Amino acid sequence: MNTFAKIIATRLSLPEQNVANTLALLELGCTIPFIARYRKERTGALNEMQIAAISEQNERLKELARRKETVNKTISELGKMTPELQQRINDCWDSTEIEDIYLPYRPKRRTRAQIAREQGLEPLAKLIYLQRERDPERAATRFVGGEVGDTEAAIHGAQDIIAEMVSEDERSRNNLRAMFRREAVIASKAVKAKKDSDEAQKFSDYFDWHEPLKRCSSHRLLAMRRGEEEGFLRVSIGADDAECIHRLRKLHIKPYTQGGDTSGACARLVAEAVEDSYKRLLRPAIENEFAAASKERADDEAIQVFAENLRQLLLSAPLGQKRVMAIDPGFRTGCKVVCLDEQGNLLHNEAIFPHPPINHYMQAKIHLLNMIRRFGIEAIAIGNGTASRETNSFVADSIDSMDSLEQFEQTEQQTPRQQKKPQVFTVSEDGASIYSASKVARDEFPDYDVTVRGAVSIGRRLMDPLAELVKIDPKSIGVGQYQHDVDQTKLKHSLDQTVMSCVNTVGVNLNTASQHLLMYVSGLGPALAKNIVDYRREHGAFRSREQLKKVPRLGPSAYEQCAGFLRIPNAKNPLDNSAVHPESSDVVEQMAADMQCTVGELIGNKERLKEINIDKYVRENAGKLTLTDIIHELEKPGLDPREHIEEFEFDPNVHTIDDLVEGMVLPGIVTNITNFGAFVDIGVHQDGLVHVSQLADRYVSDPNQVVKLHQHVRVRVKEIDTRRNRISLTMRGIK
């Protein structure tokens, strides 16, 4: 642990003691949100990203330690372990270096060099490599016989052994790595047989592309690799072959000059073996190594982009507990309409047909307005898929008619208060179809079909994006960058961490949260989340956090991890509806007693809270950092960190890509953010791209510096490519 702490602290430029304490907490099973929020004194107030980085480095070092055990065991079994080699392996914590050390001893298939060794040619290879024989052909005659037919065969076999020796030499590999790091070029060419197909056109930018590998951005590299995977491109990574061979010869031939003058026949044979080693063994190995490393870096960047987008999406502004009508729009199959109560429960569903080919416009309007009145609808969520713009226009026209249509007669179901015109919002449908066909949806709505479930999901996303979107595989939400091309295990781990972070940042209502939402609360997981829901169903609403201890299999450790992130509105103990951890309740009670008031009277009373001297309450698990957090939480207990939602309206004159004209300025919504720019929905069923260079009238290195997911922006149409269905937008020069 001490070794790991020292290595990680150096790599991440963090204090070693803070890293060591964090590792100790992780080993105890503490979650990242819990450590970041409630163990600041131990970690020196490290944030979630830093703790996650420590955890990741720790796992990598553990994996490397297991690899080193395999290396030690294999070399020892071969009888080739020496004290010096053992010490070098023990001291090494670089995976590439470990593999280089292991390479000469690693079991391998029967190579040309291995065959030559079996023929007894290794002594000849050493003579030639060391250049101690003036006449290598005469020396080779001593090895002719058996499977070695003549001196030429003997020399070729010896050169095969030399080639393998050169390829397994650490100096050779490190020299080439240095060369590739500085000068490697990634290039892509179109596969001629497929170049003119429509499917290949999305990769047309890379039909004849090359650039320095170190400057290749993650999205370009992933695009080329996808083109290669789909059979439209051929991708290669390489450096100057002549220069690489020259550098290798300098390492292995003494003396050697730039002009090619050698010290004799042995040197010429070694030179040939070095060239063969480079072309046949080293270049493919180093190219594969750099291809894998560059892909890993690109994956990490893409995963980081996806995780940040997912974070912004999950923390999108919620409408809150209001009565919502949700519409999944469509033409031929009609618009699927559901009405939900304040808790998201389904009250009613039906289909209306305001659009072609059925065109029951007036009938649909009457039904829509009757539902608004009957169920007291306060907001309308419209999916952003097919017929979205047309449905928006239809709903707007219907709402404008609310005061004048005679069909609005009083009914038994109508609410007695004056019906206000509901707000209208466009909601992303990404992943709704995945949810509607999932087991989660079937369990929630066993008696309804997928169209109703999808519409319910759209409505609930408006009310609380976080609570609804956690039910969907994050990869299906549609805010990633090449998410299907990256390492899926890494992606899942990162996205799960992001979801957990968001859920615990907001906090969860213990009495209304679904099992799927509860499973992301720190310390719970699927089994305990189910047990909580079952307990709630059997015993009724939780009245205190202490009741959690009665939930089957929820022990002290799980309680410690989860309690601070769960909320109980109107609980007997007001702290149960705050982020103050139960372990700190007695501190708050002491504060209230010293202020001669109750805890309830202390909460929200900024004047009294300002009078508290936190130094007086410092203790082992509640230092100044924790106490400062407690005071801030008491000022605004349970405050939702998310922003307020705003209505949005597309340009009413633009509905399809054919309506666009270059130079046109339009309102839009940011739907996705990548390293190379932001995608913006302008209401034509095809998002436009604002390249990073077009986001502002200044240099922008990271699009997140300028835009956020679901932000309302104004953009100018820069270019329209109808063949590839691409729209280029700009935000430069727009106030």
Side-chain angles (χ1 to χ4, degrees):
M1 183 70 75
N2 289 337
T3 300
F4 284 12
K6 186 174 294 186
I7 295 169
I8 294 170
T10 301
R11 289 180 180 178
L12 301 180
S13 300
L14 294 173
E16 185 179 335
Q17 189 58 52
N18 293 349
V19 172
N21 289 344
T22 301
L23 289 174
L25 290 167
L26 289 168
E27 289 298 317
L28 288 172
C30 297
T31 67
I32 291 172
F34 175 81
I35 296 170
R37 174 79 193 189
Y38 297 113
R39 292 295 179 263
K40 290 185 176 181
E41 277 73 27
R42 296 283 303 278
T43 69
L46 296 179
N47 60 39
E48 286 192 22
M49 291 183 64
Q50 291 170 316
I51 296 169
I54 291 171
S55 177
E56 181 184 342
Q57 289 289 334
N58 187 43
E59 291 305 314
R60 287 187 178 184
L61 290 172
K62 284 181 178 179
E63 185 178 340
L64 184 55
R66 290 190 289 270
R67 180 60 174 164
K68 286 167 66 172
E69 287 177 8
T70 301
V71 170
N72 275 323
K73 182 180 178 183
T74 303
I75 298 175
S76 297
E77 288 175 350
L78 290 172
K80 296 184 178 181
M81 183 63 77
T82 65
E84 294 77 19
L85 183 58
Q86 180 73 72
Q87 189 62 47
R88 189 177 174 204
I89 293 170
N90 291 343
D91 293 343
C92 179
W93 290 100
D94 179 271
S95 58
T96 301
E97 187 178 345
I98 285 291
E99 295 305 324
D100 281 353
I101 294 171
Y102 184 42
L103 185 59
Y105 310 98
R106 188 173 64 191
K108 53 177 76 73
R109 60 184 175 82
R110 200 160 177 260
T111 63
R112 284 162 48 174
Q114 184 61 34
I115 294 170
R117 288 190 180 95
E118 291 170 2
Q119 294 171 346
L121 295 173
E122 190 161 20
L124 177 60
K126 289 182 178 178
L127 277 174
I128 294 172
Y129 179 75
L130 295 173
Q131 301 167 46
R132 291 176 179 172
E133 184 64 54
R134 287 185 175 276
D135 189 350
E137 286 199 19
R138 187 180 63 181
T141 59
R142 302 198 300 271
F143 297 89
V144 174
E147 295 182 20
V148 183
D150 51 30
T151 57
E152 185 178 353
I155 288 174
H156 281 322
Q159 284 182 304
D160 287 340
I161 294 173
I162 294 169
E164 188 168 277
M165 288 167 53
V166 169
S167 74
E168 292 180 348
D169 180 71
E170 284 187 60
R171 296 175 305 158
S172 300
R173 302 177 85 84
N174 287 332
N175 204 287
L176 283 183
R177 286 189 188 109
M179 182 88 171
F180 268 62
R181 271 193 291 271
R182 290 193 307 270
E183 301 177 20
V185 170
I186 183 168
S188 65
K189 298 280 186 183
V191 175
K192 289 184 179 179
K194 299 182 178 181
K195 182 177 180 180
D196 296 326
S197 66
D198 289 339
E199 294 86 351
Q201 297 313 304
K202 58 186 175 182
F203 302 108
S204 61
D205 291 344
Y206 304 103
F207 281 175
D208 187 15
W209 180 270
H210 62 88
E211 66 176 313
L213 179 63
K214 62 185 178 183
R215 294 181 189 164
C216 184
S217 64
S218 65
H219 64 271
R220 287 201 297 274
L221 189 141
L222 290 171
M224 283 185 267
R225 290 301 182 192
R226 178 184 287 181
E228 182 181 45
E229 184 72 21
E230 295 183 10
F232 299 115
L233 300 175
R234 288 192 178 92
V235 182
S236 63
I237 295 173
D240 186 322
D241 288 343
E243 180 62 24
C244 289
I245 293 169
H246 171 70
R247 288 171 180 268
L248 288 174
R249 284 175 173 168
K250 286 183 71 174
L251 281 175
H252 296 284
I253 302 175
K254 308 295 182 185
Y256 177 77
T257 64
Q258 182 89 15
D261 182 27
T262 66
S263 61
C266 283
R268 286 194 296 274
L269 293 176
V270 173
E272 291 172 4
V274 166
E275 183 171 352
D276 174 53
S277 178
Y278 171 74
K279 291 180 177 178
R280 182 167 56 88
L281 302 172
L282 278 168
R283 183 175 64 188
I286 299 299
E287 179 175 352
N288 288 339
E289 187 179 303
F290 273 73
S294 60
K295 173 66 164 56
E296 184 178 6
R297 284 194 299 273
D299 282 2
D300 289 344
E301 283 189 40
I303 290 170
Q304 186 177 355
V305 168
F306 196 161
E308 178 56 31
N309 280 345
L310 179 62
R311 179 181 298 279
Q312 292 183 27
L313 183 64
L314 294 177
L315 296 180
S316 295
L319 179 69
Q321 293 187 322
K322 293 188 178 181
R323 292 192 160 229
V324 170
M325 171 186 288
I327 305 176
D328 185 358
F331 288 113
R332 183 181 57 82
T333 56
C335 297
K336 279 65 71 179
V337 184
V338 298
C339 298
L340 310 175
D341 68 13
E342 294 87 346
Q343 282 73 45
N345 298 311
L346 178 60
L347 301 174
H348 176 76
N349 76 93
E350 67 176 87
I352 56 177
F353 300 86
H355 310 310
I358 298 179
N359 279 325
H360 289 169
Y361 192 89
M362 283 305 299
Q363 184 185 74
K365 179 186 283 191
I366 293 168
H367 278 256
L368 185 84
L369 294 174
N370 278 333
M371 282 186 279
I372 291 173
R373 284 292 179 93
R374 179 181 173 190
F375 297 104
I377 298 301
E378 299 171 272
I380 299 175
I382 301 172
N384 69 342
T386 304
S388 175
R389 293 296 307 281
E390 293 79 2
T391 303
N392 249 299
S393 298
F394 160 72
V395 169
D397 178 48
S398 300
I399 291 175
D400 287 342
S401 306
M402 281 184 66
D403 296 330
S404 58
L405 278 180
E406 295 179 356
Q407 287 86 351
F408 267 113
E409 298 175 354
Q410 295 289 324
T411 65
E412 292 180 4
Q413 292 86 1
Q414 184 181 337
T415 52
R417 59 182 172 76
Q418 180 66 34
Q419 178 72 48
K420 291 183 179 179
K421 292 183 178 181
Q423 295 176 287
V424 181
F425 302 90
T426 301
V427 177
S428 171
E429 289 184 6
D430 286 331
S433 60
I434 302 294
Y435 161 78
S436 62
S438 69
K439 183 180 183 302
V440 177
R442 292 196 301 274
D443 290 344
E444 282 191 290
F445 301 102
D447 301 324
Y448 295 93
D449 65 20
V450 292
T451 60
V452 174
R453 297 172 194 156
V456 170
S457 179
I458 291 169
R460 287 178 171 178
R461 288 184 192 197
L462 176 64
M463 299 170 74
D464 190 340
L466 178 60
E468 191 63 20
L469 291 173
V470 293
K471 301 175 185 176
I472 303 169
D473 181 353
K475 287 188 296 182
S476 303
I477 295 177
V479 293
Q481 173 185 320
Y482 297 100
Q483 62 263 37
H484 299 291
D485 302 294
V486 303
D487 185 308
Q488 296 301 295
T489 302
K490 272 188 178 181
L491 177 64
K492 184 179 187 310
H493 176 71
S494 175
L495 299 185
D496 284 347
Q497 277 197 335
T498 301
V499 175
M500 179 181 283
S501 172
C502 292
V503 168
N504 291 287
T505 295
V506 173
V508 170
N509 186 326
L510 183 56
N511 286 324
T512 60
S514 67
Q515 177 182 330
H516 219 82
L517 184 59
L518 284 168
M519 65 184 279
Y520 285 104
V521 173
S522 168
L524 294 184
L528 288 178
K530 182 179 185 301
N531 291 352
I532 288 173
V533 172
D534 291 344
Y535 183 91
R536 192 173 67 195
R537 188 180 296 118
E538 182 179 351
H539 299 279
F542 284 88
R543 295 177 298 281
S544 71
R545 284 170 170 166
E546 280 290 313
Q547 258 186 285
L548 280 166
K549 296 178 179 179
K550 298 179 181 179
V551 173
R553 303 182 69 84
L554 201 155
S557 178
Y559 177 79
E560 178 187 57
Q561 295 293 308
C562 75
F565 302 104
L566 296 169
R567 310 281 184 270
I568 304 177
N570 304 314
K572 182 177 180 181
N573 182 348
L575 293 178
D576 284 351
N577 193 34
S578 75
V580 176
H581 198 281
E583 67 185 8
S584 299
S585 294
D586 56 339
V587 176
V588 180
E589 289 166 2
Q590 186 60 52
M591 289 177 178
D594 292 345
M595 297 300 294
Q596 297 182 341
C597 66
T598 65
V599 170
E601 292 169 339
L602 186 63
I603 290 176
N605 192 325
K606 293 185 179 181
E607 296 303 320
R608 280 182 170 173
L609 290 169
K610 283 180 182 177
E611 296 176 18
I612 294 174
N613 178 12
I614 61 173
D615 292 340
K616 180 180 175 183
Y617 304 96
V618 171
R619 62 180 192 180
E620 184 180 355
N621 267 349
K624 284 190 175 182
L625 293 170
T626 297
L627 291 168
T628 300
D629 280 351
I630 289 173
I631 295 297
H632 288 157
E633 179 63 19
L634 293 176
E635 289 178 359
K636 295 180 179 179
L639 178 67
D640 194 322
R642 296 172 290 183
E643 297 177 351
H644 296 291
I645 194 167
E646 297 178 355
E647 287 186 272
F648 175 83
E649 186 177 347
F650 290 113
D651 189 308
N653 301 312
V654 173
H655 294 270
T656 70
I657 195 169
D658 296 328
D659 296 329
L660 297 179
V661 177
E662 291 183 11
M664 186 181 277
V665 176
L666 301 168
I669 300 176
V670 178
T671 58
N672 199 3
I673 301 172
T674 69
N675 281 344
F676 55 88
F679 287 93
V680 177
D681 183 0
I682 53 175
V684 297
H685 306 298
Q686 174 60 48
D687 290 354
L689 172 64
V690 183
H691 189 267
V692 63
S693 63
Q694 300 295 316
L695 282 170
D697 295 322
R698 56 181 173 82
Y699 173 74
V700 177
S701 59
D702 178 6
N704 283 291
Q705 296 171 345
V706 180
V707 291
K708 296 297 178 187
L709 210 61
H710 289 177
Q711 181 178 336
H712 299 173
V713 295
R714 289 179 62 77
V715 295
R716 180 182 291 108
V717 178
K718 192 167 180 282
E719 186 180 348
I720 307 159
D721 184 342
T722 52
R723 184 183 179 192
R724 294 194 292 177
N725 208 29
R726 291 184 179 180
I727 305 166
S728 296
L729 306 171
T730 181
M731 290 169 56
R732 298 184 67 174
I734 299 176
K735 295 182 180 180

